[in-house]
Amino acid sequence: MSSLTVSSVYKKRKSYTWLYFLLPSIAIMLVFFIYPILLTFFYSFTNLALTGEAAKELKFVGFDNYVRMFHDPTVRVSIWNTLIFLIGSAVIGQQVLGFIIALLMKHKNRLFRRIIGTIVLAGWVTPEIVCALCLYSFFGDEGTLNAILSFVGISDVTWLYTVPMLTIILANIWHGTAFSMLVFQAALDDVPTEIEEAAVVDGASRLQILFRITIPYIKDTILTNMMLVTLQTLGVFGLIYAMTGGGPGTSTTTLPIFMYNQAFVNYQLGYGTAISLLLLLLGIVLSLFYIRSMKEQ
Amino acid sequence: MVKGKKKWLLGSTALFCALTVAMAGCSSGSGGTKTAEPGTDTTTTTTTGNTDSSGEGTAKTKTTISITYRDDGIGEKGTFYKWLKELSESYPNKDVEIKPTPIQASEGDYFAKVALALKSKDTAPDIVTEDTFILNSDASAGYLEPLDDKVKAWEDWTNGSFIEAMKKGVTASDGKVYGVPYNTDSRGLWYNKEIFKQAGLPEDWQPKTWDDVLNAARTIKEKTKDVVPIWMNMGKATGEATSMQTYEMLLYGTGERLYDNDTSKWIIKSQGIIDALTFIQTVNKEKLGPPLSKVLNGQAGNTASREYLPKGKLAISLDGSWITGNYFDTGAAPWPEYKDVLGFAPMPTSKGQDPGSITLAGGWALSIPSNAQHKDEAWDFIKYALNKDNTKKLVIASGNITVRADVAKDPEYTAQPFNGIATEYLQHAEFRPAQDKYPEVSTQIQTMVESVATGTSPADAAKKYAQDVTRIVGEDHIVEK
């Protein structure tokens, strides 16, 4: 009886009231989110420029920017650099290191966990630009690393110029590992100890437990984390710009840096927006790949 | 199954949203941090514009004229700032307040920031300092106010006080005048006589060919310790300094040019390009230049002129005539001995062919943005600021060369060390192409030079340059030599 009235009330209310509640957020989304995206999309088909004749009148140039992109060798270099940076610093660096730290900290003394956790978190809470300056002065010609190495007799190495990609990868690992560590800590805490104990009773080695039980158990978390870290890393700009400026040459020019250079150094805003859409596409492709593999398990 | 598909769809839409947020964050991060300054600088000034509030009838309306210029990081110690401060005190029209609104940026970033500021009425200053290389572009973009009517009515402009050739630098391709020049410069080889003496080289150095320059550098490398033999700006980060002080000085020294005026086409392939790049390659291959880590960042120009040269760590520097401005008591790196220690030799042509030496001339001008709020007041101030006495103060304080014929004859000006020689070099001076595509071509030059400095072969770098320039100016506007 009572259930019937509840459902009828529910049915009556099922008009469009929900829409009114959603309207403010939809409006905000449209203005600050959908509109800029559409605008970016539109500008990528124009000759929008910061200065020069093109800045005076906006012209529709069709697929010119995209054609130019396919013929531009620097685009290929930038995509390549972006992928190396992504795999090196996000997929391998932050994920693996974060996982290892989280794993090693499991079941450890609380004080120990707290101290180590705080140290790792320091990198995460440091603003990107401060982090870049810290690591710049660490890797710089007269930096900390060279000062330390001089004690063991290794003379000055110009880290930022001989191995620029490695320095920015290490910088991003230093900056971002804490995030993965936190995610994995939470996930590992959820792995039931009973299963692990049962495995021990069955005579499984620690490595077997890790690869047969722990990792499969948190696979979803790994993929979600992978996706989040990937998206964060794709957008990294300040860190690289401040440390190497994309150089020397184009050796650390990732897509965001290349986009900035085209838009604000070469004054070609239209071309810059086209590159930003390429970046977006790359992110979508990578993420769909992760989602797919999440689904397939 | 259906449920799974739905979930997948939901997931991917959520993802798309998350991703675009990330992108938006990224783009605002890149654009935002870089462009925030001019905006904030100038908005504060425009709000202090006309304060004709009815309540304060006794207070006179005061107009604020904002002036945007580049501050390379020294703030109130900068010559331009000090000069403006002095002028604002002496300016006879007390109803006008002069407000400096500097943009603190590297040389390359300054122009992008200025362009962004000029786009809007809310952020455009009343007066802006424009490098003559970008003036034409900004004029084509409609950012600047043509000043023809105004200059015609200005006696100083019409009576020959300004050197006629210098008016070319502020005339855009449409034939209109878009600024009043306040300085110019020449370029050459600064060298440290003490190091030369130590290395057994003549103190009165007059290289005749590029080989003379390279051989001197080789001798210095051999005979001295911890001295950089020759410094040229070679990075993208040093922007126009790399294009003009290094590449164009070399290229024009081979007899080739960037742009063919007769056919109105950009030269994308020539022996001159290869020769100029080979010079840069030689300097780096034989380690005659500065360490790349020092020269490829935005501070490179200052590192050379303010640090290496005064400290005796640099023998030869291919740089502009203005660097002595750093060594005055009021400069960024006071060095009273510079008059005796430094020498300024002309940059020879590649094989010593006519005219024997080469220099490029640039310079800066004061312009009024189209979006300026107080154009007439701004013009009145420009006339005052760039009269004979005030121009003289600025060029002497900054170590630049004057664009005014009357200042050039002034004893106080000619008494400045090196001013005589620097002005003499202007006889063979070449100017950058007054083309609206030049700034873009220039960034390709910087890319090309940096790639050679970091190991790419001149032929490969030149090939990429040819492709990039073709893309920028179009197939119809290029020529191979």
Side-chain angles (χ1 to χ4, degrees), chain A residues 125-192:
Chain A
V125 295
T126 313
E128 195 180 32
I129 192 69
V130 179
C131 173
L133 285 176
C134 287
L135 284 146
Y136 180 82
S137 51
F138 180 74
F139 286 115
D141 289 2
E142 282 118 35
T144 322
L145 186 58
N146 277 337
I148 296 169
L149 287 179
S150 67
F151 283 117
V152 279
I154 299 171
S155 59
D156 291 359
V157 185
T158 49
W159 299 101
L160 290 161
Y161 290 85
T162 40
V163 282
M165 187 50 96
L166 186 67
T167 59
I168 60 167
I169 285 177
L170 289 175
N172 197 40
I173 293 175
W174 187 82
H175 181 51
T177 300
F179 180 79
S180 300
M181 181 195 79
L182 291 176
V183 171
F184 288 130
Q185 259 181 349
L188 287 175
D189 285 345
D190 280 350
V191 178

Side-chain angles (χ1 to χ4, degrees), chain B residues 227-232 234 282-284 286-292:
Chain B
V227 170
V228 172
I230 182 166
W231 190 301
M232 308 182 294
M234 295 181 285
T282 311
V283 165
N284 285 290
E286 298 185 20
K287 300 216 178 307
L288 302 173
L292 287 181

Side-chain angles (χ1 to χ4, degrees), chain A residues 99-116:
Chain A
F99 181 77
I100 292 175
I101 296 174
L103 193 70
L104 292 178
M105 277 163 72
K106 205 186 167 191
H107 304 312
K108 290 289 176 326
N109 170 310
R110 237 177 124 192
L111 185 72
F112 174 79
R113 283 182 72 147
R114 223 176 245 176
I115 294 171
I116 298 296

Side-chain angles (χ1 to χ4, degrees), chain A residues 231 234-235 259 276 279-284, chain B residues 18-29:
Chain A
L231 296 183
L234 271 185
M259 176 177 84
S276 76
L279 191 59
L280 189 73
L281 188 76
L282 188 68
I284 292 174
Chain B
L19 199 74
T20 32
V21 169
M23 293 299 152
C26 153
S27 60
S28 73

